[in-house]
């Protein structure tokens, strides 16, 4: 079985050395890059299961690098930042990042985040996928067709491009058709861990999904907001 391959883009060489030793000891292959341009060059030459991307990079910052990554690959991306600005995290999620982690990094937490993102992306090589049986199901409601095995969404015979988190949120809503799903429960199902009630990232993801699947995102018909409670997929 091939090891999970991680591309870690960060200009902190001491951190890269420590994490490389940690992940290798855990059976992962970690390739390091000290700039966005170097990371992009590696992505064009090789295949990786996930990218860990620092926000504060020389030459190209993390946002520029993330944008360039999304143009050439659908690889999941976890962003890192030493800043506490909420806006940076929201912008990263809006641009397609799958998760966000603040520095200083706890290697065990980073490992857990990586495994969670890979499970959602259907790419885990070392873990049993708890939803393996349901991944073969076909979901269809309100003109949306979801192939959970291939993690593919169609609307009017067109493929809808969703991030791994967006895909899982959409599936969670459709599977709970006609029932209200709280924001906290959605994030727990989609990201594998509980979030505080004030975490706004769920609203960012919902907004992005609506832009992709609603005829009029300002008047959504498929993803309804239930004020004070959460969201609901009303169904046909």
């Amino acid at each position: 079985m091939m090891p999970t391959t991680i591309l870690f883009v960060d200009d902190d060489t001491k951190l890269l050395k420590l994490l490389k030793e940690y992940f290798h000891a855990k059976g992962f292959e970690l390739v390091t890059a000290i700039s966005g341009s170097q990371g992009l060059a590696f992505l064009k030459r090789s295949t990786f299961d996930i990218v860990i991307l620092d926000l504060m990079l020389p030459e190209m910052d993390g946002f520029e690098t993330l944008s360039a990554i999304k143009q050439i690959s659908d690889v999941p991306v976890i962003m890192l930042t030493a800043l506490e600005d909420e806006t940076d995290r929201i912008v990263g999620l809006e641009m397609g990042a799958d998760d966000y982690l603040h520095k200083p990094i706890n290697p065990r937490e980073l490992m857990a985040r990586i495994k969670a993102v890979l499970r959602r992306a259907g790419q885990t090589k070392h873990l049993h996928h708890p939803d393996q049986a349901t991944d073969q199901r076909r979901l269809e409601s309100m003109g949306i067709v979801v192939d959970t095995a291939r993690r593919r969404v169609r609307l009017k015979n067109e493929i809808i491009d969703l991030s791994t988190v967006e895909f899982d949120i959409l599936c969670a809503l459709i599977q709970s058709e006609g029932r209200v799903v709280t924001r906290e429960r959605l994030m727990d199902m989609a990201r594998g861990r509980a979030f505080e009630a004030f975490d706004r990232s769920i609203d960012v993801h919902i907004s992005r999904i609506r832009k992709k699947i609603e005829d009029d995102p300002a008047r959504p018909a498929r993803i309804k907001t239930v004020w004070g409670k959460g969201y609901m997929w009303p169904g046909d």
Side-chain angles (χ1 to χ4, degrees):
M1 184 177 293
M2 296 293 291
T4 297
T5 56
I6 303 167
L7 175 61
F8 203 116
V9 186
D10 197 313
D11 63 340
D12 186 340
T13 55
K14 290 184 179 179
L15 174 65
L16 293 178
K17 182 179 179 181
L18 290 172
L19 290 177
K20 193 166 189 175
E21 293 174 357
Y22 177 84
F23 278 95
H24 280 188
K26 299 293 184 180
F28 287 70
E29 181 181 345
L30 191 143
V31 175
T32 61
I34 59 173
S35 68
S37 57
Q38 186 179 43
L40 288 168
F42 286 153
L43 270 176
K44 291 175 181 177
R45 294 200 305 264
S46 304
T47 300
F48 295 90
D49 295 302
I50 192 166
V51 174
I52 313 300
L53 176 63
D54 187 37
L55 177 60
M56 305 297 290
L57 290 171
E59 301 173 13
M60 302 173 63
D61 67 20
F63 292 142
E64 293 175 298
T65 305
L66 177 62
S67 178
I69 288 173
K70 292 302 178 182
Q71 293 178 31
I72 64 172
S73 174
D74 60 356
V75 63
V77 178
I78 296 177
M79 295 198 73
L80 307 176
T81 181
L83 304 176
E84 294 295 332
D85 190 348
E86 177 87 357
T87 302
D88 287 335
R89 183 169 63 87
I90 292 174
V91 170
L93 292 170
E94 288 177 334
M95 293 179 64
D98 295 274
D99 204 349
Y100 221 97
L101 187 62
H102 286 284
K103 289 183 172 181
I105 298 170
N106 180 314
R108 289 183 63 187
E109 180 180 6
L110 178 58
M111 175 73 80
R113 298 286 191 95
I114 288 171
K115 289 179 178 179
V117 169
L118 291 179
R119 276 197 298 269
R120 295 196 305 269
Q123 297 173 342
T124 305
K125 297 180 181 180
H126 299 287
L127 302 177
H128 168 67
H129 197 309
D131 297 321
Q132 197 167 25
T134 60
D135 275 351
Q136 304 305 314
R137 294 179 55 195
R138 170 189 170 99
L139 305 176
E140 188 168 358
S141 180
M142 302 185 75
I144 298 286
V145 179
V146 182
D147 181 341
T148 57
R150 297 181 180 180
R151 298 183 66 85
R152 183 175 295 172
V153 176
R154 288 182 178 273
L155 173 60
K156 298 176 182 177
N157 292 321
E158 293 186 6
I159 297 292
I160 305 300
D161 183 23
L162 298 177
S163 72
T164 55
V165 176
E166 291 165 3
F167 180 90
D168 288 333
I169 289 173
L170 180 63
C171 286
L173 286 168
I174 295 176
Q175 288 169 335
S176 302
E177 182 177 306
R179 291 174 290 162
V180 177
V181 185
T182 65
R183 296 163 73 252
E184 295 81 5
R185 179 58 180 155
L186 272 178
M187 292 310 297
D188 188 32
M189 287 189 289
R191 302 179 72 174
R193 61 189 181 93
F195 275 70
E196 297 295 334
F198 58 78
D199 192 296
R200 293 186 295 158
S201 60
I202 180 63
D203 303 315
V204 173
H205 291 304
I206 291 292
S207 176
R208 294 187 68 203
I209 297 170
R210 281 173 168 162
K211 290 177 182 177
K212 296 175 181 180
I213 69 169
E214 296 284 5
D215 296 327
D216 181 359
R219 297 176 180 271
R222 294 184 174 92
I223 302 179
K224 295 286 190 179
T225 300
V226 182
W227 297 108
K229 294 184 179 180
Y231 297 95
M232 182 178 70
W233 186 275
D236 296 311

